[in-house]
Amino acid sequence: MASNERLICQSDALVEKSHGLRFELPELGEFVTGFAVRYNSVVYAYINQCAHVPIELDWNEGDFFDLSKNYLLCATHGAHYNPTDGYCVMGPCKGKRLKSIKVVERNNEILISLDDL
Ligand code: FES
């Protein structure tokens, strides 16, 4: 593991289009979290803040997908985001994006990069 990476979980902790994993981001502040999900076998990670109002997306901890399992959902006012690029396709922040976090999956581990936080 490189010095600029942080292990967030083992690979099997992230199930396809299921619960996301939340993790703390003390680099960005005491209460800032990130999250990671698996979508079409690939892991994506974002700062857990809606592009509309900077509050956490998941009302129920780890619930990031909408019912179709094709979008990430802000539980507060319903913004829908593409899981692959964080682009908001529907809702009050349509056209904006979630802030992505670089993430790699290697040797059955999922790591985030702290470089671009
Ligand atoms: S706070 Fe997320 S859609 Fe408004």
Side-chain angles (χ1 to χ4, degrees), residues 46-92:
Y46 296 98
I47 294 173
N48 191 8
Q49 290 181 338
C50 187
H52 168 220
V53 175
I55 58 176
E56 294 184 338
L57 274 67
D58 53 331
W59 184 265
N60 293 316
E61 194 165 310
D63 272 350
F64 292 100
F65 282 104
D66 73 332
L67 290 176
S68 77
K69 306 291 185 189
N70 286 315
Y71 296 100
L72 302 173
L73 178 70
C74 176
T76 304
H77 303 116
H80 284 56
Y81 298 93
N82 281 330
T84 56
D85 60 7
Y87 184 79
C88 182
V89 296
M90 186 170 78

Side-chain angles (χ1 to χ4, degrees), residues 9-50:
C9 64
Q10 300 297 308
S11 286
D12 59 6
L14 278 183
V15 176
E16 175 74 19
K17 297 183 182 179
S18 185
H19 266 74
L21 178 95
R22 291 166 49 107
F23 51 88
E24 295 182 0
L25 288 171
E27 297 82 359
L28 299 182
E30 190 177 355
F31 302 109
V32 179
T33 62
F35 69 96
V37 294
R38 188 181 297 281
Y39 181 78
N40 291 342
S41 303
V42 178
V43 176
Y44 298 93
Y46 296 98
I47 294 173
N48 191 8
Q49 290 181 338
C50 187

